[in-house]
Amino acid sequence: MTILVIAEHDNKALAPATLNTVAAAAKIGGDVHVLVAGQGVSAVAEAAAQIAGVAKVLSADNAAYAHQLPENVAPLVAELGKGYSHILAAATSNGKNILPRVAAALDVDQISEIISVESADTFKRPIYAGNAIATVQSNAAVKVITVRATGFDPVAAEGGSAAVEAVGAAHDAGISSFVGEELAKSDRPELTAAKIVVSGGRGMQNGDNFKHLYALADKLGAAVGASRAAVDAGFVPNDMQVGQTGKIVAPQLYIAVGISGAIQHLAGMKDSKVIVAINKDEEAPIFQVADYGLVADLFEAIPELEKLV
Amino acid sequence: MKVLVAVKRVVDYNVKVRVKADNSGVDLANVKMSMNPFCEIAVEEAVRLKEKGVATEIVVVSIGPTTAQEQLRTALALGADRAILVESAEDLTSLAVAKLLKAVVDKEQPQLVILGKQAIDSDNNQTGQMLAALSGYGQGTFASKVEVSGDSVAVTREIDGGAQTVALKLPAIVTTDLRLNEPRYASLPNIMKAKKKPLEVLTPDALGVSTASTNKTVKVEAPAARSAGIKVKSVAELVEKLKNEAKVI
């Protein structure tokens, strides 16, 4: 059995989610190869070769893969993937975009967002916004799988010494092109990788009030998230959204401030180790999942909390 | 241009589902069903394209049981022109649905196909991408903005770090994200009018598509319940607990 892991990267650095995906591959068992597709990716390929447990790195360095457009990358992965038993990618926006296209090209069903490996062909994944866990078995020749990063502890980024092999294949479908991108800038830890997450909801009342959360987060070394209500109200940009349709997080500590706790929000955070809820409505559903609940006005509680930690 | 929209009948998003005692699935008997929220956004976008004069005809398609006709009628009441139901009683995988949609696309030859980014029941997020692969079209997934100009469409996509814009040659596949638009409600006169709009019923056999699957759901369980927490009286007590009991700060 040989497993192909698609590296998550931005052409400059390897994203941490790749380490969780390699961890899932290690649980399946067998040789692990990592594919780095992009443009000017030699540093990323070198970083991938350092990952503990990786046997080989395939580097597809071509202008056609610069922005990882699925129309170009999926045929490459499908072509390379034919000889593998499993193809894995992190369930990031990139992985979700590319991998189903690979699965269809290989004529196999995909298994999305696995949270555990039961055996080489059986996996667990959440359905219905995390309200049920399905055990899925695949008899496909090549098993195509996306991995929920928070379900697996990352492997060490150092300690490996895999050989890097260049892949010459260039697929350019010529039906799509990159126009531009707008990335939100932040000095705080990345939301999905942070040990502590502080999230605000509609109860924050406006975007300006999020400064109280930022102050608390900076004191704790935490990332700041938000509920959909806060995003839709325009308080914060949408890449901060935690939930079924946003990001899935599982930090050591999740502090929900002014968030009622709708099913869709809980789907994104209920695997956190410790959940703290601060809400003035003591009937709010968030208190049913919170380890520690504080019924209080957040505008008094948050500054006080910031002083005490 | 012709726009094809795919809609799915799913359990209403406000329903808290329960897992069946025999672990064969979730209990959907007597549970409120609705159109998948992302599909509502897809229908709305198609209707807006028609109102702008970009789209000339909107065909809405669903794959599922006979009862999915309700969701197709809803889409017709919202502004779709005609509907197609590919009737299938069994639970189909995303790949099977993508193959059936490909057959409908071949038949209808739309310039743009709009789907939701994921269905809130299976949470797969696969069908649009698979349809794009099977048809060989470009894909604009997780769209928050769609602009058609000439023979291409510019799609602004929600990605992990922010937003990205790609240009796709038509015909193309677009999947909707939550922020693409705010779906409208169907008015009573439009609900009445929708009853008279054409609704064609097909079967997978008639389309010549095999719906065999490589995946099998072995069992469905309830997630591990969280143990009950406590309510603290003050911020000072909260900090004390987090430091000494949970040891997370």
Side-chain angles (χ1 to χ4, degrees):
Chain A
M1 254 185 349
T2 316
I3 300 163
L4 183 65
V5 171
I6 316 299
E8 172 82 15
H9 66 88
D10 60 358
N11 288 327
K12 294 180 214 87
L14 195 66
T18 310
L19 302 176
N20 306 73
T21 314
V22 171
K27 285 232 165 92
I28 295 168
D31 278 352
V32 179
H33 294 182
V34 175
L35 169 68
V36 181
Q39 187 181 26
V41 289
S42 54
V44 181
E46 282 308 317
Q50 304 289 313
I51 300 174
V54 172
K56 185 158 89 175
V57 174
L58 303 172
S59 166
D61 203 330
N62 192 293
Y65 309 136
H67 300 286
Q68 302 193 27
L69 296 173
E71 295 80 4
N72 301 345
V73 175
L76 169 76
V77 178
E79 182 186 290
L80 294 172
K82 281 196 180 100
Y84 288 89
S85 62
H86 299 72
I87 303 175
L88 267 55
T92 54
S93 60
N94 249 332
K96 290 177 185 174
N97 194 24
I98 293 169
L99 222 57
R101 201 170 171 117
V102 173
L106 293 170
D107 196 23
V108 297
D109 280 304
Q110 178 186 294
I111 306 180
S112 292
E113 301 218 20
I114 62 162
I115 52 169
S116 85
V117 173
E118 302 297 296
S119 72
D121 67 356
T122 308
F123 308 90
K124 284 194 176 177
R125 62 176 300 263
I127 53 175
Y128 290 89
N131 287 304
I133 308 293
T135 305
V136 183
Q137 193 171 32
S138 166
N139 62 14
V142 185
K143 294 165 184 59
V144 178
I145 297 164
T146 61
V147 176
R148 181 174 286 189
T150 56
F152 299 87
D153 292 329
V155 296
E158 307 276 327
S161 57
V164 178
E165 194 176 288
V167 175
H171 295 267
D172 192 348
I175 50 173
S176 59
S177 56
F178 173 82
V179 177
E181 65 187 1
E182 245 177 273
L183 300 178
K185 291 203 167 44
S186 172
D187 298 330
R188 294 187 188 88
E190 215 250 319
L191 194 52
T192 52
K195 292 245 183 308
I196 302 177
V197 173
V198 182
S199 278
R202 201 193 297 276
M204 297 305 296
Q205 293 177 4
N206 59 51
D208 197 36
N209 285 335
F210 262 75
K211 64 174 189 262
H212 300 299
L213 294 191
Y214 294 136
L216 174 63
D218 288 342
K219 199 103 177 259
L220 292 166
V224 178
S227 69
R228 187 184 165 202
V231 172
D232 280 354
F235 299 172
V236 290
N238 59 37
D239 56 306
M240 284 170 64
Q241 184 185 326
V242 172
Q244 185 184 19
T245 58
K247 290 186 176 149
I248 313 288
V249 301
Q252 294 288 308
L253 173 61
Y254 188 90
I255 306 179
V257 183
I259 293 176
S260 64
I263 298 174
Q264 292 80 8
H265 184 73
L266 300 183
M269 46 63 83
K270 66 180 179 179
D271 292 326
S272 305
K273 186 162 171 272
V274 174
I275 297 174
V276 170
I278 300 174
N279 204 306
K280 64 179 175 191
D281 173 14
E282 62 179 311
E283 301 297 323
I286 191 77
F287 286 118
Q288 291 162 21
V289 299
D291 298 281
Y292 302 106
L294 175 64
V295 180
D297 183 345
L298 67 94
F299 293 108
E300 287 161 22
I302 295 301
E304 196 184 338
L305 184 57
E306 191 210 324
K307 249 178 257 151
L308 290 174
V309 294
Chain B
M1 82 179 182
K2 191 194 274 189
V3 179
L4 187 80
V5 182
V7 302
K8 185 176 184 184
R9 174 184 172 88
V10 298
V11 61
D12 189 85
Y13 72 96
N14 282 313
V15 172
K16 181 129 171 57
V17 296
R18 292 194 194 287
V19 173
K20 284 188 197 164
D22 65 358
N23 292 119
S24 61
V26 299
D27 194 355
L28 294 181
N30 303 318
V31 166
K32 187 186 174 200
M33 304 295 277
S34 302
M35 192 192 297
N36 180 42
F38 291 101
C39 303
E40 286 182 355
I41 295 170
V43 172
E44 175 67 28
E45 194 64 18
V47 173
R48 288 188 189 188
L49 286 172
K50 194 174 175 190
E51 286 168 348
K52 273 192 252 170
V54 177
T56 48
E57 187 187 23
I58 302 170
V59 182
V60 57
V61 55
S62 189
I63 294 161
T66 315
T67 44
Q69 289 195 13
E70 289 169 24
Q71 278 63 46
L72 288 172
R73 291 287 173 205
T74 303
L76 292 170
L78 291 168
D81 296 296
R82 61 190 172 87
I84 300 171
L85 173 66
V86 181
E87 207 167 274
S88 169
E90 52 181 329
D91 229 352
L92 299 176
T93 61
S94 302
L95 183 62
V97 170
K99 284 178 179 173
L100 290 166
L101 289 175
K102 162 74 164 54
V104 174
V105 165
D106 286 346
K107 200 158 124 9
E108 294 286 340
Q109 297 287 319
Q111 285 296 96
L112 193 63
V113 185
I114 312 180
L115 303 88
K117 82 163 175 182
Q118 77 189 56
I120 58 164
D121 51 0
S122 55
D123 280 336
N124 271 326
N125 193 335
Q126 299 173 1
T127 307
Q129 294 90 315
M130 287 179 159
L131 175 62
L134 297 175
S135 56
Y137 297 162
Q139 66 187 54
T141 52
F142 325 143
S144 59
K145 197 172 163 196
V146 175
E147 269 177 293
V148 178
S149 58
D151 63 348
S152 81
V153 57
V155 180
T156 302
R157 311 175 50 236
E158 296 195 2
I159 58 170
D160 287 337
Q164 178 194 63
T165 305
V166 292
L168 309 169
K169 261 192 200 151
L170 293 174
I173 313 286
V174 167
T175 75
T176 63
D177 215 319
L178 279 172
R179 264 160 294 277
L180 181 58
N181 59 48
E182 187 96 19
R184 70 193 67 188
Y185 291 98
S187 66
L188 189 57
N190 285 344
I191 293 171
M192 300 312 287
K193 275 185 220 155
K195 292 184 177 169
K196 297 205 175 70
K197 288 185 181 177
L199 192 157
E200 185 184 359
V201 180
L202 299 170
T203 61
D205 286 343
L207 290 168
V209 174
S210 155
T211 55
S213 161
T214 57
N215 280 1
K216 185 174 83 182
T217 299
V218 183
K219 66 176 170 190
V220 175
E221 301 157 288
R226 291 188 75 94
S227 53
I230 55 160
K231 285 221 173 99
V232 293
K233 298 234 167 358
S234 67
V235 173
E237 188 187 348
L238 175 64
V239 172
E240 191 271 323
K241 295 268 189 209
L242 288 177
K243 276 186 175 149
N244 302 323
E245 198 173 281
K247 298 190 179 24
V248 282
I249 55 173

